[in-house]
Amino acid sequence: MAAKKTTLDFTQGKLRQTWLGYVLAGAVFLIALLSIFAALSASSAWPLCRYISVSMLSPELVLTAELAATSRAKLAGMQNRSTFSPADAMLFTYDDPKLVSFWMKDTPIPLDIVFLDAAGVVSQIEPSAPSESIEPIESERPIMAALEVPSGTASSRGIEIGSRMIFDPELCIDP
């Protein structure tokens, strides 16, 4: 009787390992892609309202502000726009207190920039930031928000250092 030769066939095992490797790599790629998407979409803790109400109690003031909460909106700001319409202002919000810098490049209208601390208190006002300027306008201390209004608005509407601005980013409005 002749002895049977036994051969080991690893082909099936290699196929399974290769297939499993592809599935695993795909899952890792998908998780990484979803993480990046989540990080980009969560670039701000503020909801993505287009407009919100900003008010001050003394003197009484209510403004409709276009909300610049995303990185893209903050970069664009009022560039290439000659009016705030339909809003009265633009509000830049930040997740954590930080030093910020603005410039007026490609911004055809002069603006007042009102810097707000974590409590919404005005900590600095830069009146009449010149249009089209590339000179940086920097906050003197970390802020949570900055309000851009047409030049002269801060003084004519009674916005001063120490004034408290109130805004609720969860209350979207339609101007």
Side-chain angles (χ1 to χ4, degrees):
M1 196 183 285
K4 280 190 179 179
K5 265 188 169 176
T6 17
T7 57
L8 298 174
D9 186 6
F10 291 104
T11 311
Q12 287 292 353
K14 284 184 181 178
L15 271 175
R16 275 192 202 129
Q17 285 177 346
T18 303
W19 180 79
L20 187 59
Y22 286 134
V23 168
L24 206 52
V28 168
F29 177 75
L30 185 60
I31 289 170
L33 193 60
L34 289 173
S35 297
I36 290 169
F37 177 73
L40 289 175
S41 65
S43 66
S44 175
W46 302 87
L48 298 180
C49 293
R50 177 97 194 252
Y51 299 98
I52 66 169
S53 180
V54 177
S55 59
M56 189 172 72
L57 298 178
S58 179
E60 188 175 331
L61 170 70
V62 178
L63 299 170
T64 298
E66 184 175 344
L67 187 60
T70 64
S71 296
R72 180 176 288 167
K74 288 175 189 161
L75 284 173
M78 289 297 296
Q79 288 183 330
N80 301 309
R81 293 165 63 174
S82 58
T83 180
F84 280 95
S85 184
D88 305 310
M90 181 173 278
L91 181 68
F92 297 76
T93 58
Y94 303 94
D95 295 332
D96 299 303
K98 63 183 349 176
L99 293 170
V100 298
S101 180
F102 287 80
W103 71 347
M104 299 296 109
K105 182 178 185 297
D106 298 327
T107 305
I109 53 177
L111 305 169
D112 292 344
I113 304 175
V114 180
F115 296 96
L116 308 168
D117 68 13
V121 175
V122 176
S123 61
Q124 175 185 347
I125 300 172
E126 288 296 327
S128 300
S131 59
E132 306 290 344
S133 174
I134 59 171
E135 289 297 316
I137 299 167
E138 300 172 343
S139 62
E140 296 166 351
R141 57 184 63 112
I143 63 159
M144 286 294 289
L147 185 69
E148 287 184 343
V149 292
S151 181
T153 300
S155 63
S156 69
R157 301 297 296 270
I159 301 171
E160 302 172 336
I161 303 293
S163 298
R164 184 161 189 265
M165 306 295 284
I166 302 165
F167 54 92
D168 185 347
E170 294 183 15
L171 294 177
C172 302
I173 61 172
D174 188 15

